[in-house]
Amino acid sequence: MSGFTHFNEEGRAKMVDVSDKQETVRTAIAYSSIKVNKDIYDGIANNEMKKGDVLAVAQVAAVMAAKKTWDIIPMCHPLPLSSIDISFEWEINKEEYTLLIQSFVKTKGNTGVEMEALTAASVCALTVYDMCKALDKGMVIGPTYLVEKTGGKHGDYKREV
């Protein structure tokens, strides 16, 4: 398995050694979404959900998730994150209500923050689901994907639309 940095000499998974990588500013942006019904949309938009301010709680959950990514994704490194931002936008087409979620994560370090951005966006959508599931269990989460990343040995990445 030589050449693969994620495997040890026995061919088993290991955490990659990033100690020799150059420390640079690294950013990542990820998206997720959740489709909800009109009642849920109205409840969130008018801040009338029984469990409270759905977007505020989801935003805090996303920030917490980004900071704890290394705790739940086994091979992720613990990173000192310097910035996490979560933003929301509604997309309404006929009777379909989709909450678009964008996460932005930044660090200065020797490994990227793609997983932190993806985790933040995912947990944000899951939190919306959790806070609204009493009204409808048929909500659909996703797709979730990396939009772009900057910094690091492999350079920048931008998803082609």
Side-chain angles (χ1 to χ4, degrees):
M1 298 249 163
S2 68
F4 290 103
T5 59
H6 291 74
F7 297 99
N8 66 17
E9 291 175 2
E10 298 168 352
R12 301 184 87 42
K14 72 171 188 173
M15 180 185 267
V16 175
D17 182 356
V18 296
S19 59
D20 291 334
K21 291 173 81 176
Q22 183 178 359
E23 187 173 275
T24 61
V25 173
R26 297 159 188 264
T27 65
I29 297 171
Y31 280 136
S32 191
S33 62
I34 182 167
K35 291 182 183 181
V36 302
N37 65 27
K38 181 170 180 14
D39 290 339
I40 292 173
Y41 165 75
D42 288 341
I44 293 172
N46 298 316
N47 198 16
E48 295 173 347
M49 297 299 289
K50 287 185 179 181
K51 287 190 173 183
D53 185 337
V54 173
L55 298 186
V57 173
Q59 187 171 26
V60 171
V63 169
M64 291 173 66
K67 294 183 344 181
K68 300 293 267 177
T69 299
W70 64 276
D71 255 349
I72 59 174
I73 307 292
M75 301 303 169
C76 284
H77 295 82
L79 299 175
L81 303 180
S82 52
S83 179
I84 304 167
D85 189 23
I86 309 299
S87 58
F88 303 101
E89 183 180 331
W90 283 104
E91 182 177 87
I92 302 169
N93 293 324
K94 298 179 184 171
E95 288 299 309
E96 200 168 89
Y97 302 85
T98 304
L99 179 63
L100 305 175
I101 301 161
Q102 176 181 294
S103 66
F104 169 84
V105 180
K106 181 178 181 181
T107 192
K108 184 174 183 181
N110 51 6
T111 191
V113 288
E114 298 96 292
M115 292 307 300
E116 288 73 11
L118 287 161
T119 300
S122 299
V123 168
C124 191
L126 288 168
T127 302
V128 171
Y129 186 97
D130 178 57
M131 293 189 71
C132 301
K133 68 183 183 274
L135 291 178
D136 179 24
K137 292 178 180 34
M139 294 173 280
V140 176
I141 294 174
T144 302
Y145 54 91
L146 182 68
V147 176
E148 69 179 66
K149 74 110 184 159
T150 65
K153 176 181 172 183
H154 297 290
D156 297 349
Y157 164 83
K158 188 161 179 117
R159 182 182 186 89
E160 301 213 6
V161 181

